[in-house]
Amino acid sequence: MKILIVKRDKLGDMLLTTPMLAWLRQGLPQAEIHVLANDYNAWVLEGNTQPHRVWALPRVRHAGRLRIGAALQTAKMLWQMRREKYDWVLVGNGEESPRAIERGLSLRGRSTVAYCKSAVDWPRLTHPMSAPRDMHESRRLAALATPLGLSVPETLPAPLYHLPERSAAFARQWLGRNGLAAGGYVVLGLGARRAKKQPTTQQVLGWADEVQRRWGLKTVFMWTPGKSDNPLYPGDDDVAEPVLAANNPHIVPFRGPLDEAIALVWHARTSIFPDSGLMHFAAASPGGVLGFFAETDVSPSPSQWGPIGPRAHYLEAGQAVAQLSDEAVFGKLAALIDG
């Protein structure tokens, strides 16, 4: 049996696909499992032995321009994939994604499975499915494989990410330059890009002081550059700039690419992140994570997007993370740092 999983979206979403990959490998040990990714998210599976092959399609358009070479490479790769003659194509989205469904159907597998709102709209799907409610995204993805005769277990494998040696080498060098050691700091990140989901400047400064007082740990502070009102790439400068201006001796700022940020997360005692891709990577790291959610009646809920893993905790605020009490935050942190 040959199975293809189409997964060409965000990095955190790709990470949440890894429990499904491990479970498929366990449940169908003779099957050959492929993943269709893109050159943006394929690196999340680097070093992961669960898929037998990862196809990484290049981005055909970049900065609004058509990349002719990438288009030709994509056409060749899709032709090669059709020749694989997949028995099952699973469109790996937790809800209907028309573009992903079209891509899955274009590969001409014997059976194609996808979530959709109406089967009438997708007559070529052999297995149209309704997206389940009140289910974590990792389980939604795994449930796509139930037409293969599998039952989703009560507990799926944890998300899996292998830190590349080049990233580990960066972390060792950066920590050395900044007088830090692995396990000797907590990462505190912004990155939700919505004020209600982020800790305030006062919370960041106060938590850093308390982490130093209680555990003798520094705080590595991460943020996304840019102003919050930027319509294309909203950033965290409105919160980060006053934090940096305070010159708190317990805070070590870091602003860099995602792979380097993940490397520092991997060496931290633990991490604190609002709902974001980095939160999910931190949940898969040795130190685990405390995640933040807010106003979940209109925003993503932890029931679907909460961090998962053996050291994953979260707090949910009514309207904004600013409402969370220090007592609640440090109760969760103590379980991660002392546990």
Short mmCIF file of all heavy atoms in Angstrom, two decimals, residues 20-65:
data_model
loop_
_atom_site.label_atom_id
_atom_site.label_comp_id
_atom_site.label_asym_id
_atom_site.label_seq_id
_atom_site.Cartn_x
_atom_site.Cartn_y
_atom_site.Cartn_z
N MET A 20 0.33 11.81 13.46
CA MET A 20 -0.36 10.99 12.45
C MET A 20 0.64 10.11 11.70
O MET A 20 0.39 8.91 11.47
CB MET A 20 -1.09 11.89 11.48
CG MET A 20 -1.73 11.21 10.29
SD MET A 20 -2.18 12.42 9.03
CE MET A 20 -3.24 11.44 7.97
N LEU A 21 1.78 10.66 11.33
CA LEU A 21 2.78 9.89 10.59
C LEU A 21 3.28 8.71 11.43
O LEU A 21 3.41 7.59 10.93
CB LEU A 21 3.95 10.80 10.21
CG LEU A 21 3.66 11.91 9.20
CD1 LEU A 21 4.86 12.82 9.05
CD2 LEU A 21 3.26 11.31 7.86
N ALA A 22 3.58 8.98 12.70
CA ALA A 22 4.07 7.90 13.57
C ALA A 22 3.01 6.83 13.77
O ALA A 22 3.31 5.62 13.76
CB ALA A 22 4.50 8.48 14.91
N TRP A 23 1.76 7.25 13.93
CA TRP A 23 0.67 6.29 14.14
C TRP A 23 0.43 5.45 12.88
O TRP A 23 0.22 4.23 12.97
CB TRP A 23 -0.59 7.06 14.53
CG TRP A 23 -1.85 6.28 14.50
CD1 TRP A 23 -2.15 5.16 15.23
CD2 TRP A 23 -2.99 6.53 13.67
NE1 TRP A 23 -3.41 4.72 14.92
CE2 TRP A 23 -3.95 5.54 13.97
CE3 TRP A 23 -3.29 7.51 12.74
CZ2 TRP A 23 -5.19 5.50 13.34
CZ3 TRP A 23 -4.53 7.47 12.12
CH2 TRP A 23 -5.46 6.48 12.42
N LEU A 24 0.47 6.09 11.70
CA LEU A 24 0.32 5.33 10.46
C LEU A 24 1.43 4.30 10.31
O LEU A 24 1.19 3.17 9.88
CB LEU A 24 0.33 6.27 9.26
CG LEU A 24 -0.96 7.03 8.94
CD1 LEU A 24 -0.72 8.01 7.80
CD2 LEU A 24 -2.07 6.05 8.58
N ARG A 25 2.64 4.68 10.66
CA ARG A 25 3.78 3.76 10.54
C ARG A 25 3.61 2.57 11.46
O ARG A 25 3.95 1.44 11.11
CB ARG A 25 5.07 4.51 10.86
CG ARG A 25 6.34 3.80 10.42
CD ARG A 25 6.49 3.85 8.90
NE ARG A 25 7.71 3.20 8.47
CZ ARG A 25 8.90 3.80 8.36
NH1 ARG A 25 9.01 5.08 8.67
NH2 ARG A 25 9.94 3.14 7.94
N GLN A 26 3.06 2.83 12.66
CA GLN A 26 2.81 1.74 13.60
C GLN A 26 1.66 0.84 13.13
O GLN A 26 1.75 -0.39 13.21
CB GLN A 26 2.49 2.31 14.98
CG GLN A 26 3.63 3.04 15.65
CD GLN A 26 3.19 3.79 16.89
OE1 GLN A 26 2.04 3.69 17.32
NE2 GLN A 26 4.10 4.57 17.48
N GLY A 27 0.57 1.48 12.67
CA GLY A 27 -0.62 0.71 12.30
C GLY A 27 -0.52 0.01 10.97
O GLY A 27 -1.18 -1.03 10.76
N LEU A 28 0.30 0.56 10.06
CA LEU A 28 0.45 -0.03 8.73
C LEU A 28 1.94 -0.17 8.43
O LEU A 28 2.50 0.54 7.58
CB LEU A 28 -0.23 0.84 7.67
CG LEU A 28 -1.74 1.05 7.83
CD1 LEU A 28 -2.24 2.14 6.90
CD2 LEU A 28 -2.50 -0.25 7.59
N PRO A 29 2.62 -1.08 9.11
CA PRO A 29 4.09 -1.15 8.98
C PRO A 29 4.57 -1.50 7.58
O PRO A 29 5.71 -1.20 7.23
CB PRO A 29 4.47 -2.23 9.99
CG PRO A 29 3.22 -3.03 10.20
CD PRO A 29 2.09 -2.07 10.06
N GLN A 30 3.72 -2.13 6.76
CA GLN A 30 4.14 -2.50 5.42
C GLN A 30 3.87 -1.40 4.40
O GLN A 30 4.30 -1.49 3.24
CB GLN A 30 3.41 -3.79 4.98
CG GLN A 30 3.59 -4.96 5.93
CD GLN A 30 5.06 -5.27 6.16
OE1 GLN A 30 5.85 -5.30 5.21
NE2 GLN A 30 5.44 -5.54 7.41
N ALA A 31 3.15 -0.36 4.81
CA ALA A 31 2.78 0.70 3.87
C ALA A 31 3.97 1.62 3.59
O ALA A 31 4.86 1.79 4.44
CB ALA A 31 1.62 1.51 4.42
N GLU A 32 3.97 2.20 2.42
CA GLU A 32 4.97 3.21 2.06
C GLU A 32 4.30 4.57 2.17
O GLU A 32 3.30 4.83 1.51
CB GLU A 32 5.47 2.96 0.63
CG GLU A 32 6.59 3.90 0.22
CD GLU A 32 7.15 3.57 -1.16
OE1 GLU A 32 6.98 2.41 -1.60
OE2 GLU A 32 7.73 4.48 -1.79
N ILE A 33 4.84 5.41 3.03
CA ILE A 33 4.21 6.69 3.36
C ILE A 33 5.02 7.84 2.77
O ILE A 33 6.22 7.96 3.06
CB ILE A 33 4.07 6.86 4.88
CG1 ILE A 33 3.25 5.71 5.47
CG2 ILE A 33 3.44 8.21 5.22
CD1 ILE A 33 3.27 5.65 6.98
N HIS A 34 4.38 8.66 1.96
CA HIS A 34 5.01 9.85 1.39
C HIS A 34 4.28 11.09 1.91
O HIS A 34 3.11 11.04 2.30
CB HIS A 34 4.93 9.85 -0.13
CG HIS A 34 5.76 8.80 -0.78
ND1 HIS A 34 6.09 8.83 -2.12
CD2 HIS A 34 6.35 7.67 -0.29
CE1 HIS A 34 6.82 7.78 -2.42
NE2 HIS A 34 6.98 7.05 -1.32
N VAL A 35 4.97 12.22 1.91
CA VAL A 35 4.39 13.51 2.28
C VAL A 35 4.67 14.50 1.17
O VAL A 35 5.81 14.60 0.69
CB VAL A 35 4.96 14.05 3.61
CG1 VAL A 35 4.40 15.44 3.91
CG2 VAL A 35 4.65 13.09 4.77
N LEU A 36 3.63 15.22 0.75
CA LEU A 36 3.81 16.34 -0.18
C LEU A 36 3.83 17.62 0.63
O LEU A 36 2.83 18.02 1.23
CB LEU A 36 2.67 16.38 -1.20
CG LEU A 36 2.65 17.60 -2.12
CD1 LEU A 36 3.96 17.74 -2.89
CD2 LEU A 36 1.47 17.54 -3.07
N ALA A 37 5.00 18.25 0.69
CA ALA A 37 5.19 19.50 1.42
C ALA A 37 5.58 20.59 0.43
O ALA A 37 5.38 20.43 -0.78
CB ALA A 37 6.27 19.32 2.49
N ASN A 38 6.11 21.69 0.91
CA ASN A 38 6.67 22.70 0.02
C ASN A 38 8.01 23.15 0.59
O ASN A 38 8.42 22.71 1.67
CB ASN A 38 5.70 23.88 -0.18
CG ASN A 38 5.29 24.50 1.14
OD1 ASN A 38 6.07 24.59 2.08
ND2 ASN A 38 4.05 24.95 1.23
N ASP A 39 8.68 24.01 -0.13
CA ASP A 39 10.02 24.39 0.33
C ASP A 39 9.98 25.34 1.52
O ASP A 39 11.01 25.76 2.03
CB ASP A 39 10.84 25.01 -0.81
CG ASP A 39 10.16 26.21 -1.47
OD1 ASP A 39 9.10 26.65 -0.97
OD2 ASP A 39 10.68 26.71 -2.47
N TYR A 40 8.77 25.65 2.00
CA TYR A 40 8.63 26.46 3.21
C TYR A 40 8.54 25.60 4.46
O TYR A 40 9.11 25.93 5.50
CB TYR A 40 7.38 27.35 3.09
CG TYR A 40 7.01 28.08 4.36
CD1 TYR A 40 7.79 29.13 4.83
CD2 TYR A 40 5.88 27.71 5.09
CE1 TYR A 40 7.46 29.80 6.00
CE2 TYR A 40 5.54 28.38 6.26
CZ TYR A 40 6.33 29.42 6.70
OH TYR A 40 5.99 30.08 7.86
N ASN A 41 7.83 24.46 4.38
CA ASN A 41 7.60 23.68 5.60
C ASN A 41 8.25 22.30 5.61
O ASN A 41 8.21 21.61 6.63
CB ASN A 41 6.09 23.52 5.85
CG ASN A 41 5.39 22.67 4.80
OD1 ASN A 41 6.00 22.15 3.87
ND2 ASN A 41 4.08 22.52 4.95
N ALA A 42 8.86 21.88 4.51
CA ALA A 42 9.41 20.52 4.45
C ALA A 42 10.50 20.29 5.50
O ALA A 42 10.67 19.16 5.99
CB ALA A 42 9.95 20.24 3.06
N TRP A 43 11.23 21.34 5.87
CA TRP A 43 12.34 21.16 6.82
C TRP A 43 11.88 20.70 8.18
O TRP A 43 12.66 20.17 8.96
CB TRP A 43 13.15 22.45 6.94
CG TRP A 43 12.39 23.64 7.46
CD1 TRP A 43 11.77 24.60 6.73
CD2 TRP A 43 12.19 24.00 8.83
NE1 TRP A 43 11.18 25.53 7.54
CE2 TRP A 43 11.43 25.19 8.84
CE3 TRP A 43 12.56 23.43 10.04
CZ2 TRP A 43 11.03 25.82 10.02
CZ3 TRP A 43 12.17 24.06 11.23
CH2 TRP A 43 11.42 25.24 11.21
N VAL A 44 10.59 20.87 8.49
CA VAL A 44 10.07 20.41 9.78
C VAL A 44 10.24 18.89 9.90
O VAL A 44 10.40 18.36 11.01
CB VAL A 44 8.60 20.81 9.94
CG1 VAL A 44 8.00 20.24 11.23
CG2 VAL A 44 8.46 22.33 9.92
N LEU A 45 10.23 18.18 8.77
CA LEU A 45 10.35 16.73 8.78
C LEU A 45 11.79 16.25 8.59
O LEU A 45 12.03 15.04 8.49
CB LEU A 45 9.48 16.13 7.67
CG LEU A 45 7.97 16.38 7.80
CD1 LEU A 45 7.23 15.75 6.63
CD2 LEU A 45 7.43 15.87 9.12
N GLU A 46 12.73 17.16 8.57
CA GLU A 46 14.14 16.76 8.42
C GLU A 46 14.55 15.85 9.58
O GLU A 46 14.37 16.18 10.74
CB GLU A 46 15.03 18.00 8.39
CG GLU A 46 16.49 17.69 8.13
CD GLU A 46 17.34 18.95 8.01
OE1 GLU A 46 16.76 20.03 7.78
OE2 GLU A 46 18.57 18.85 8.16
N GLY A 47 15.08 14.69 9.26
CA GLY A 47 15.50 13.74 10.28
C GLY A 47 14.40 12.84 10.78
O GLY A 47 14.65 11.91 11.56
N ASN A 48 13.16 13.08 10.36
CA ASN A 48 12.03 12.25 10.79
C ASN A 48 11.97 11.02 9.88
O ASN A 48 11.81 11.14 8.66
CB ASN A 48 10.73 13.06 10.69
CG ASN A 48 9.55 12.35 11.33
OD1 ASN A 48 9.40 11.14 11.22
ND2 ASN A 48 8.70 13.12 11.99
N THR A 49 12.08 9.84 10.46
CA THR A 49 12.12 8.60 9.67
C THR A 49 10.74 8.00 9.41
O THR A 49 10.65 6.95 8.79
CB THR A 49 13.00 7.56 10.38
OG1 THR A 49 12.44 7.26 11.67
CG2 THR A 49 14.42 8.07 10.56
N GLN A 50 9.68 8.63 9.90
CA GLN A 50 8.35 8.05 9.70
C GLN A 50 7.93 8.07 8.23
O GLN A 50 7.50 7.05 7.71
CB GLN A 50 7.32 8.78 10.58
CG GLN A 50 7.66 8.83 12.06
CD GLN A 50 7.81 7.46 12.68
OE1 GLN A 50 7.37 6.46 12.13
NE2 GLN A 50 8.46 7.40 13.84
N PRO A 51 8.04 9.20 7.53
CA PRO A 51 7.73 9.15 6.09
C PRO A 51 8.89 8.54 5.32
O PRO A 51 10.06 8.79 5.63
CB PRO A 51 7.51 10.61 5.72
CG PRO A 51 8.31 11.38 6.72
CD PRO A 51 8.30 10.58 7.98
N HIS A 52 8.56 7.74 4.33
CA HIS A 52 9.61 7.15 3.49
C HIS A 52 10.16 8.17 2.50
O HIS A 52 11.31 8.05 2.07
CB HIS A 52 9.05 5.95 2.73
CG HIS A 52 8.66 4.81 3.61
ND1 HIS A 52 7.46 4.76 4.28
CD2 HIS A 52 9.33 3.67 3.96
CE1 HIS A 52 7.39 3.64 4.98
NE2 HIS A 52 8.50 2.97 4.81
N ARG A 53 9.33 9.16 2.15
CA ARG A 53 9.80 10.18 1.21
C ARG A 53 9.03 11.47 1.44
O ARG A 53 7.82 11.44 1.69
CB ARG A 53 9.64 9.72 -0.23
CG ARG A 53 10.14 10.74 -1.25
CD ARG A 53 10.26 10.16 -2.64
NE ARG A 53 10.85 11.12 -3.56
CZ ARG A 53 11.15 10.86 -4.82
NH1 ARG A 53 10.91 9.64 -5.32
NH2 ARG A 53 11.69 11.78 -5.60
N VAL A 54 9.72 12.60 1.35
CA VAL A 54 9.10 13.92 1.43
C VAL A 54 9.34 14.64 0.10
O VAL A 54 10.48 14.83 -0.31
CB VAL A 54 9.67 14.75 2.59
CG1 VAL A 54 9.04 16.15 2.59
CG2 VAL A 54 9.41 14.06 3.93
N TRP A 55 8.25 14.99 -0.57
CA TRP A 55 8.33 15.76 -1.81
C TRP A 55 8.15 17.23 -1.44
O TRP A 55 7.13 17.62 -0.88
CB TRP A 55 7.21 15.35 -2.77
CG TRP A 55 7.21 13.92 -3.17
CD1 TRP A 55 6.70 12.86 -2.46
CD2 TRP A 55 7.70 13.37 -4.40
NE1 TRP A 55 6.85 11.69 -3.17
CE2 TRP A 55 7.46 11.97 -4.37
CE3 TRP A 55 8.30 13.92 -5.53
CZ2 TRP A 55 7.81 11.13 -5.41
CZ3 TRP A 55 8.65 13.08 -6.58
CH2 TRP A 55 8.41 11.69 -6.51
N ALA A 56 9.12 18.06 -1.77
CA ALA A 56 9.06 19.48 -1.44
C ALA A 56 8.89 20.30 -2.72
O ALA A 56 9.85 20.47 -3.48
CB ALA A 56 10.31 19.91 -0.69
N LEU A 57 7.69 20.77 -2.96
CA LEU A 57 7.44 21.59 -4.15
C LEU A 57 7.98 23.00 -3.94
O LEU A 57 7.77 23.60 -2.88
CB LEU A 57 5.94 21.68 -4.44
CG LEU A 57 5.24 20.39 -4.88
CD1 LEU A 57 3.77 20.68 -5.14
CD2 LEU A 57 5.89 19.81 -6.12
N PRO A 58 8.65 23.56 -4.92
CA PRO A 58 9.12 24.95 -4.81
C PRO A 58 7.96 25.92 -4.97
O PRO A 58 6.93 25.60 -5.58
CB PRO A 58 10.12 25.07 -5.95
CG PRO A 58 9.63 24.11 -6.98
CD PRO A 58 9.05 22.95 -6.21
N ARG A 59 8.12 27.10 -4.40
CA ARG A 59 7.11 28.14 -4.59
C ARG A 59 7.20 28.71 -6.00
O ARG A 59 8.24 29.23 -6.40
CB ARG A 59 7.31 29.24 -3.55
CG ARG A 59 6.74 28.90 -2.18
CD ARG A 59 7.20 29.88 -1.14
NE ARG A 59 8.59 29.61 -0.77
CZ ARG A 59 9.22 30.19 0.24
NH1 ARG A 59 8.59 31.07 0.98
NH2 ARG A 59 10.47 29.89 0.52
N VAL A 60 6.10 28.59 -6.73
CA VAL A 60 6.09 29.04 -8.12
C VAL A 60 6.05 30.56 -8.20
O VAL A 60 6.62 31.16 -9.11
CB VAL A 60 4.90 28.41 -8.87
CG1 VAL A 60 4.78 28.98 -10.28
CG2 VAL A 60 5.06 26.89 -8.92
N ARG A 61 5.38 31.19 -7.24
CA ARG A 61 5.34 32.64 -7.20
C ARG A 61 6.05 33.15 -5.96
O ARG A 61 5.86 32.62 -4.87
CB ARG A 61 3.89 33.16 -7.21
CG ARG A 61 3.18 32.91 -8.53
CD ARG A 61 1.83 33.60 -8.59
NE ARG A 61 1.21 33.42 -9.91
CZ ARG A 61 1.43 34.19 -10.94
NH1 ARG A 61 2.26 35.23 -10.83
NH2 ARG A 61 0.83 33.98 -12.09
N HIS A 62 6.85 34.15 -6.13
CA HIS A 62 7.57 34.76 -5.01
C HIS A 62 7.62 36.26 -5.22
O HIS A 62 7.99 36.73 -6.30
CB HIS A 62 8.99 34.20 -4.91
CG HIS A 62 9.75 34.73 -3.72
ND1 HIS A 62 9.39 34.43 -2.43
CD2 HIS A 62 10.83 35.56 -3.66
CE1 HIS A 62 10.23 35.04 -1.60
NE2 HIS A 62 11.10 35.73 -2.31
N ALA A 63 7.18 37.00 -4.17
CA ALA A 63 7.13 38.47 -4.26
C ALA A 63 6.31 38.93 -5.46
O ALA A 63 6.64 39.92 -6.13
CB ALA A 63 8.54 39.05 -4.31
N GLY A 64 5.23 38.18 -5.75
CA GLY A 64 4.33 38.56 -6.83
C GLY A 64 4.82 38.20 -8.22
O GLY A 64 4.15 38.52 -9.21
N ARG A 65 5.95 37.53 -8.33
CA ARG A 65 6.51 37.19 -9.64
C ARG A 65 6.49 35.69 -9.89
O ARG A 65 6.71 34.90 -8.97
CB ARG A 65 7.94 37.71 -9.75
CG ARG A 65 8.05 39.23 -9.71
CD ARG A 65 9.48 39.67 -9.92
NE ARG A 65 9.61 41.13 -9.93
CZ ARG A 65 10.76 41.77 -10.14
NH1 ARG A 65 11.87 41.07 -10.33
NH2 ARG A 65 10.79 43.09 -10.13
#
